[in-house]
Amino acid sequence: MKNRDDSDAPDDRHEPRTHRRKRDLPFPYNQDLSGILPHLNRRTVWGRARLANHRVTASLLAAGMRLLEQHFGPCAERPVTSKSLLLGPLSQRSVAEAFGHNPAPFDRHGDGAGLLRDRWTPYSNFVVDLINFAVWKENYRPEFRTHRDANTRRLVHGCDGRDFVRAVHDIAHRHTTEGMDLPSVRLGLALMTVADADEEIARITSGIYAAYLGSWKELYAAVLRERGLRLRPGLTLDDLADALSAANDGVTLRALGDPASGVVDDARRRSLTGTITLAVIHAFLEPADEASGLSLEQAVATRFGGRARSSAGQ
């Protein structure tokens, strides 16, 4: 029977209080996970929410996250190679073994494989929920929001154009290098290559971008408003966000796959992401009070057409 009755949900009332309090787990495992784990093996919303916020469930996720770090992190102990399957490191046996070696205060007692089967049937549902958890915004570095606020102040209220350019380069370099170091980002980039063959992975990928780009679009809108800029006709804020996101993804992949390429320069705190960002800003945006009214295509055609006529007249 795939979905257990909610009356069979784990009962931890008789366990030592010091061992059963989920709020004693580190952030973000101590947070409400009911909206992050939709595939738990319970019939009702109440049953799934209760199981999502059980400390054993959080401990199983912690085991899976350690495996992600070991196999997908920048200093992976056992990196995924051409000889191993992409998600091979997340087999039920591997997660169950990792659960048994959980550090305190996570739970590590009991039959890990049995606990997994109780919560996720089929096991692939655990992998999907683990990916959901891994790419959850609360799993990004704690200083992320602080950096975002500082970036907003620099881009929106910077003193002059030169400071704006420096801010773009600094932010782009930080964003790219942090992404390279996060196992969840590295896994997300790898999963994109198989998303078209897996509806669930495609849904997760789409959800990641919806949340990720939403916050960036708020920043871009503030920059346009406060800096007196406007998008060229035919372009939208979605186009701007997608273009800059694609640039960052591409540079991140290139830097990971070809470290000697030089697309990220840590010594100068520069990256190709910053250069592309400035190019997109220059091409997509115009001063609102001096707008030409030309679309991007018209502006490019005019520039090259003008050069051609000038050359012909010489």
Side-chain angles (χ1 to χ4, degrees), residues 224 230-241 243 280-286 294-297 299:
L224 266 63
R230 56 171 280 182
L231 287 155
R232 287 187 179 276
L235 294 174
T236 67
L237 204 59
D238 286 335
D239 294 327
L240 179 62
V280 170
I281 290 172
H282 183 69
F284 278 35
L285 308 179
E286 291 186 299
L294 298 176
S295 68
L296 178 60
E297 292 78 7

Side-chain angles (χ1 to χ4, degrees), residues 10-30:
D11 186 348
D12 57 10
R13 289 175 295 177
H14 303 296
E15 297 179 28
R17 174 174 292 275
T18 55
H19 291 166
R20 73 167 186 258
R21 293 182 300 186
K22 180 175 183 288
R23 64 175 178 269
D24 291 337
L25 297 178
F27 183 88
Y29 296 92
N30 59 358

Side-chain angles (χ1 to χ4, degrees), residues 26-65:
F27 183 88
Y29 296 92
N30 59 358
Q31 300 299 295
D32 177 15
L33 303 181
S34 58
I36 309 301
L37 309 176
H39 295 88
L40 283 164
N41 191 26
R42 291 298 183 270
R43 291 175 176 173
T44 67
V45 173
W46 179 87
R48 289 191 295 274
R50 184 166 185 252
L51 194 59
N53 289 310
H54 193 276
R55 80 175 195 286
V56 172
T57 302
S59 298
L60 289 166
L61 290 172
M65 289 295 289

Side-chain angles (χ1 to χ4, degrees), residues 48-82:
R48 289 191 295 274
R50 184 166 185 252
L51 194 59
N53 289 310
H54 193 276
R55 80 175 195 286
V56 172
T57 302
S59 298
L60 289 166
L61 290 172
M65 289 295 289
R66 285 207 319 283
L67 289 175
L68 284 180
E69 292 173 2
Q70 290 173 6
H71 293 277
F72 293 95
C75 298
E77 300 172 16
R78 292 171 285 174
V80 173
T81 68
S82 58

